[in-house]
Amino acid sequence: MIDLRSDTKTQPTAEMRRAMATATVGDEQLGEDPTVHVLEGRAAALLGHERAIFLPSGTMANLIALLLHVGRAGDEVVLASETHVLRSEAGGGAALAGAVFRPLASDDGVLTPEQLADAVRPDDIGAPRTRLLVAEQSTNWTGGRLWSVDALDAILDAAADLALRTHLDGARLLNAAVALDVEPDRLARRFDTVMLDFTKGLGAPLGAVLALPAALEPAARRFKRMLGGALRQAGICAAACLHGLDHHVARLAEDHANARRLADRLAALDGLDVVRRPVTNIVLAETPDPTAFLAALRAEGVLASRAGATTVRFVTHLDVAGPAADRAADAAQRALDRTATTVEA
Ligand SMILES: Cc1ncc(COP(=O)(O)O)c(C=O)c1O
């Protein structure tokens, strides 16, 4: 099977498993795991922040950010409508952080300063207070799109003028840094808080960090405990994340090249419309009947996922070499032939 459903690898590499097996560990809940300390220091420096907190998942990191910035006050969070926070985190921001979400339409998940300014509520006792901007870099459900450095600077200037706090969902921030050819901190340091995930292209079995100013650290660590995120010998997992940082960042460019290779092949097929040529590792394509297409594709040995009523999503990653992208495109051709035959029959 070629699994293109997400960029989380099915198996950590043998080298990553070795790094995990030989990690020096301690009790993370007591603040005594040395490998977690190393990872938190590395991540803070990488993202241009004073501190970083190791967490089991990106979803928990995003939720802690919402708890820090909104904190059950019914305040409003402005974000693009297809962001993961809104679409794929089980409504946790509303249920647990008391956030009111203000989704803004955007084909590529990138917002303009004008959209942000228009979304901010007037000072009115009946209106939620607009408190936070959430940006996603690179985007997930809109197909791995990027905020350019200029677009980021513009939205962050606007957020500062509007006295909004800012959170970056950087699940795939390193994909963005590689694609834009900039240091990660250039994309991250101006945000109040930043999430970075190690389970995407970096291939770790679990782990994310929330980077933040030192002043927010005690409250964030308390929320981590409250949500069940305090761990014990977590260095085993932090070692995998460090291995990912050491060995799997530069190669993200290969995932991007493979996504373009796959997209170019898919674009040539009748029955699939590639939404936009990918700039990172996600390919979206339109097809009239995703359920039938995905079932036929599975029968051909390729797994992809549904991203919308008529949209399918392919994600390239550490397990997908260039020839596998070609094999996936061949399988897509056969799957389209199969579904066409079924419809005719
Ligand atoms: C943009 C984005 N944010 C957050 C997450 C959540 O990360 P995790 O699976 O580590 O909870 C994902 C996962 O796919 C994502 O794509």
Side-chain angles (χ1 to χ4, degrees), residues 57-59 62 84 89 136 140 169 171-172 195 197 199-200:
S57 71
T59 299
N62 281 338
H84 196 276
E89 297 185 6
E136 193 176 284
N140 178 345
D169 175 340
R172 297 181 185 76
M195 179 271 266
D197 217 321
T199 63
K200 306 296 171 209

Side-chain angles (χ1 to χ4, degrees), residues 69-70 73-79 99-104 111 115-124 126-134 158-166:
H69 297 305
V70 176
D75 288 345
E76 201 162 52
V77 178
V78 180
L79 72 191
V100 174
F101 288 111
R102 185 84 183 269
L104 304 184
L111 301 176
Q115 278 180 295
L116 183 62
D118 284 350
V120 171
R121 306 268 183 196
D123 187 8
D124 174 334
R129 293 170 300 187
T130 313
R131 175 73 75 194
L132 176 70
L133 164 75
V134 173
D161 289 346
L162 296 162
L164 298 181
R165 294 200 187 184
T166 55

